[in-house]
Amino acid sequence: MSLYPFARSVVAGLIKPTYRIKVEGLEHFPKEGAVLLCTNHISNLDPPVVGVTSPRKVLFMAKAELFDVPVLKNLLKNFGTFPVKRGGGDREALRAGLKVLKEGNVLGLFPEGTRSKDGQLGKGLPGAGFFALRSNAAVVPCAIKGPYKSFQSLKVVYGKPLDMEKYRQEKISPEEMTAIIMNEIDKLLKD
């Protein structure tokens, strides 16, 4: 048994009952092929919550600083997580992300680039738009509706994949594409 399914079941057993996680929209999630999963970011627990509620294994980008912690570095690598240097175009991280998508996997991103301090959806960074436009991945918006409080309900909502064909044909910029993705996440948060 590989580490991912075992760890996923352990984490699910801990956090699902603690946060009474409810999941909506799984029927929208593509069963196969590349998926760019774009989610709001309100807590350090967001990656494991998305990881245990997604119907497929999610490979995340994570801030490079996390890979400076020896034990955490090995754990993250075992889960397929790869580092990104924030604050600029990290070409190595962009190549790694495109490779994940080219291989038909699910790439999980938090387009805001950092956790929201007030729980409100922030502005997305152009990386999400870059991956959406430069790959053939289905782009799935996702909303985590908090709060993360023990024994209170937390909801994860998966939206319908965006119609990327029209955006790819329109030759829009990564910034414009990210704004469209963020708008879809915002709609899920407000529903």
Side-chain angles (χ1 to χ4, degrees), residues 15 27 49 85 90 105 147 155 181:
I15 64 174
E27 69 276 10
V49 164
K85 294 177 189 133
D90 181 345
N105 296 308
K155 190 184 290 186
I181 293 168

Side-chain angles (χ1 to χ4, degrees), residues 90-111:
D90 181 345
R91 291 182 188 272
E92 193 172 323
L94 294 175
R95 279 193 292 275
L98 287 174
K99 183 175 185 278
V100 165
L101 296 171
K102 186 176 182 180
E103 292 172 352
N105 296 308
V106 179
L107 176 61
L109 290 182
F110 300 101

